[in-house]
Every structure is written in C-alpha cells, then in structure tokens.
Amino acid sequence: MNFTRWSARLPGTPRRSAVARAARSADSVPASGRPGREVPSARGELTDPDPDAPADGPAVGPLDALSVHDLLGQVPALVALVQGADHRIGYVNAAYVRAFGERPRGERAKEALPELVELGLLPLMDQVLRSGKPRTVKSRRVPARAGKHSFYTFTCTPVELAHGAGGREGRGVLVFATDVTDQVESAERLRASEARQREAAVTLQRSLLPQELEQPDDLRVAATYRPGGTEAAVGGDWYDVITLGGGRTALVIGDVMGRGVRAAAVMGQLRTAVRAYARLDLPPHEVMQLLDGLAADIDAGQIATCLYAVHDPGEELLTYASAGHLPVLVRDADGHVHSAHEPTGPPLGTEGWQHTSATMPFPAGATAVLYTDGLVERRDADIDVGVAALERAFAGATGSPEIICDRLLRALGITAEHDDDVALLVFQNPRRDGQHAELFRNAALDLLGGVEAAPRARAFASGVLTSWRFPRELHDLGVLAASELVANSLQHGVPPMRLRLRRTDRRLVVEVTDGDDHLPRRRQAEPVDETGRGISIVATIAASWGARLTPGGGKAVWCEFTLPTVESVATAS
C-alpha cells in the first residue's frame, strides 16, 4: 500500500498535521494579510500579533496565532474584562454568557453585571484597580439562570490595556471565576456525615450514662456531662453513683481516651463492669484491679482512666483508688479545699500493677468533686494550672450540688464550643439539725465475746430502737436481726466485734463487724442441723443483706429494713 498517498487522511501523521495547520492559518489571516484579533503581549497587555511572524513554523506556531478571545472563549471558567474606574464591560466569554446571559459591551458593571454587585465584588474590584494587586474570594454562592445555585471562587486581576497605556482609562480588571460547586457540595456532604456520626456518638454516650442518678440517703449528688463543640468528636467520659447497701455509696468517674463511637462503646463496657464489680462490695483497689484486667481484654490499645471512691457515713470516710485519674477534691465546711496526694496507679489496661486504696475524711458539711481532664486541661497551659484554677473556683462555689456544677463549668470557661467533653460529679455530706437531724442517727456497741455478748446485743438494740420510736413490728425485726448477726459472728468470727445501728429517713441498717475475713453465705440448713439458719433468717426478714471485707482486715455483715413514711415513724409510740 502507498502510505505517502494516504498519509494526509490518517490521523496523527506529520502530513495531516501540516495540512491542519495550513488550514487554520488561512482561516485566521484576513484579506489585508494581518491577523484580525488581539493577542496578549509579554506584559499581559492586549496587542495585535506581529505581522512579520511566519505563518508556519514549529509545533507551537498555531498557539501563537490564537487571540485572547480564542483562548478565553474556550476555557470553562467564567471570564469578564472590565475597564476604567466605572468598570465598563470590555469582554465576557462564552462560559460567562451561559451562566448569566448576554452582557452588552461598554455598559457599566453596576448596571450590566448585577451578579457581581450581589456578590459584593465591585468594592473588591475598586481595590484591585487602585492597588494593582490581585484579590481572591473563595466559594461564593451564585444563583444560576436555571435556578440551581452554584459556587465559584473569584479572582480579580489588574490588567494594562495597550490602547490606554499610561492613562487611568487604560487600566482594567480581569474577573476569573472557577466553578467549585462539586468541592463545596462534597465538603457539605462530609460535614453532614460527620455531624450524623457525632450525633450518633453523643446519643450513644448519653444512653450509656446514668439516665437518673441514684440518690443515697446520706449524700446529695449531682452530675453533668458536656460533649465537646461541633468540631470535636465526642469522647468516652462517664460517671456513676452506686448504692452498695449498709448505707455506703460508690462514686465513679472515668475517661476513655479517643473519640467517636468506639470510645463511647468502650466506656459503656467499663461502666457496666464497674457496676457489676461494685455489687460484690469489694474494696476500691480490688475493684480497680479487676477493671484493669478487663480493660486489657476489651481493647488493649485503648487507654482509660478511672477513680472509684466509697463513702461510709458511719465512719465519715471516703475510701478511694485511682487508675491514672485526676485527684478528688474535698472542701471542708470551713471552705478549705484539699486534694488527694497519694500516688495513683497507671491507666487501666496496663495489667501487672498492684493498686492500693487510700482514705480521706469526709465529715458532715464537706463537699467533693470528681471530674475529667476536659474541665481543667488546655492546649496552652499545664494541667496543674487548670487544677489550681478549679480549686480556687471550688473554694467559692457554694449551694446545692446542681448549683456547684453550673458554677464550676462557668468558672472554668466551659461553653458549647469547648474542644473537649467534660464529666463532672459533685456530692455533699450535708449538715443536719433540728427535726431533720432526728432522722439520721448512729449507735454502736463493742462486743468482747463470751456468753454475755448476745444478750447485751439484744438489750442494746432494743433500747436504741425504742429511743428512735420505731413501730413495734419494726422494733422486733431489728432486734431479731441484730441477735442473729451477733450470734453468727460469735459462732464463726473472732474479736474484736462491733454492733452498729444506723437509721436514715428511709431505712434502718444493722451491721456487725469482726476480725475474721471469711464471708458468710446463705445456705439451706438440714432439719437436723443446729446451726446455719441465722443468715437465712436475716435474708428472709430484711429488705436486703450483704457482707464485705473491711480495709483493716476482717468483715462486716449487714442488713437493711425499709422504713415507713417519715410521718408514721415520727408519730409512732
């Protein structure tokens, strides 16, 4: 086949390219022999092309022959050229016409380019014309002709027009607008997706927190949770209040590091585990030890901190253990604030660490606060600075726990835009006086053992319950429970022994402690057995019962009776 003959018809061949260049040159040269359209000069001015330039040359020759109108008319961006101080239209390209319609040349932009007026670009164009420096505005919303809104980034660039060089009327502004609708819509979809994920995480977080705090008899408690601002994903902060029985209360604060649904899910598992371990009525350090192993099983790569404290109203003590958490703050009745100085263990999940418990006095009139790092940590300051600020604010924050929560949040600058989530738990051991104080009473008797211990215990319980003006039926049940618990301690425990009676406005607590660490359990006694029925009797007559190990060694066995209404107790003989 003769390729020479057919090469002009084949695409991409040198001969065909030469033919195409010749055709374009013939179309662009008018009868006068000079190109009829302007091309940009090296300085960006609008000038005519060189008449002596060769019509055919290297491969870039056709580009040199294109005018400004040819180039700008083919770009998909919107282009408009205005000139003079009143910005008269000199040129708009085809893309601009398709977006906004025809624009008459020579008219002022204020009347002929209303879209630029609405966008506030005319003052910007004045600045560009005066300063000679380009200006850009990003992602402006532009109403298109078809009713669909688009987004453009506008760049206004000063240009010198050749026919007016040296004069003010020879200066102009080139408005170049790039369609960024796809990018803006993608960003909006991403923000909407992030907002949905954050809402789901916040919903999960709030559903895993206590929906209603348990209110112990001896404490006033309030708590709050504030998720981080809209730009911050929700974290894994949590709190809890757990009534343990025997008048004691567990108070918990924790923080799972990280963000989003994963942190909230880990938090939910840890909080559930804490409640389960608390029901075992273990010392705080043993609860922390169990939680430490569980945290490693849940997610070895997730760091979590926790503080677990137990309030004993009879001893007026706060016993606690901490796994890497910030210290508890206690304010005495006189306003003095002090924090726990005992060293804490590492965060949960490290395993191998032996946690320990410590105690703090918590007398009547004292208030305590548990909190997460979002309350005191700032990016531009050490966390100790935040803790010191919290101590100062706490010293002056008086009122109910709810009021104290609000005051501390305001004092520490926690707003809706705060960059971290915050959990805060405040509890008080209130002072009671007058008639209300009569509803909260304590009585204790030390028992040395021997045959006279049981009769002494029964007589003591009977006298105390009579002085507290309990109804006859509740009086007899309380005496029976005290007798059975003391008998069980005499049978299976070792001295020292102690009987303690405590009443609140809602319940009567009977508790016996001894030096043996063997916890009793309820069992079914055989008909021929002479022992083994004491705990079963107590479990039958009482609303609840339990046993726990005491910090100094030994155990405590307790039971509770629910009191009638306050009015009926006060009027009973």
Side-chain angles (χ1 to χ4, degrees), residues 210 212-216 218-225 238-241 249-253 362 367-371 394 399-409 422-430:
E212 184 176 352
L213 282 181
E214 297 183 27
Q215 293 295 329
D218 296 274
L219 297 177
R220 295 173 182 169
V221 183
T224 185
Y225 170 75
W238 93 90
Y239 56 82
D240 210 346
V241 177
T249 305
L251 304 117
V252 192
I253 194 82
F362 197 65
T367 304
V369 57
L370 304 179
Y371 52 97
F394 187 34
S400 67
E402 292 84 359
I403 294 176
I404 293 177
C405 282
D406 293 338
R407 289 180 174 176
L408 292 181
L409 291 175
V422 175
L424 184 63
L425 177 63
V426 176
F427 54 98
Q428 292 178 334
N429 183 11

Side-chain angles (χ1 to χ4, degrees), residues 253-255 305-307 322-328 344-347 370-373:
I253 194 82
D255 186 2
T305 65
C306 182
L307 191 148
S322 175
H325 203 80
L326 294 166
V328 55
T344 65
L370 304 179
Y371 52 97
T372 57
D373 58 0

Side-chain angles (χ1 to χ4, degrees), residues 284-286 288-289 320-322 342-345 353-358:
H285 65 275
E286 293 192 22
M288 205 61 63
Q289 208 73 47
Y320 65 92
S322 175
E342 288 78 2
T344 65
W353 182 267
Q354 193 68 30
H355 292 273
T356 58
S357 294

Side-chain angles (χ1 to χ4, degrees), residues 206 224-228 237 405-406 409 414-416 418 420-424:
R206 292 193 181 279
T224 185
Y225 170 75
R226 294 284 183 89
D237 295 14
C405 282
D406 293 338
L409 291 175
I414 306 302
T415 64
H418 189 59
D420 196 4
D421 50 348
V422 175
L424 184 63

Side-chain angles (χ1 to χ4, degrees), residues 244-248 312-313 500 502 509 511 544 548 558-560:
L244 301 177
R248 299 160 66 252
D312 188 334
R500 186 171 73 175
R502 175 170 178 77
V509 180
E511 183 179 79
S544 60
R548 70 178 189 280
W558 56 268
C559 66
E560 291 182 350

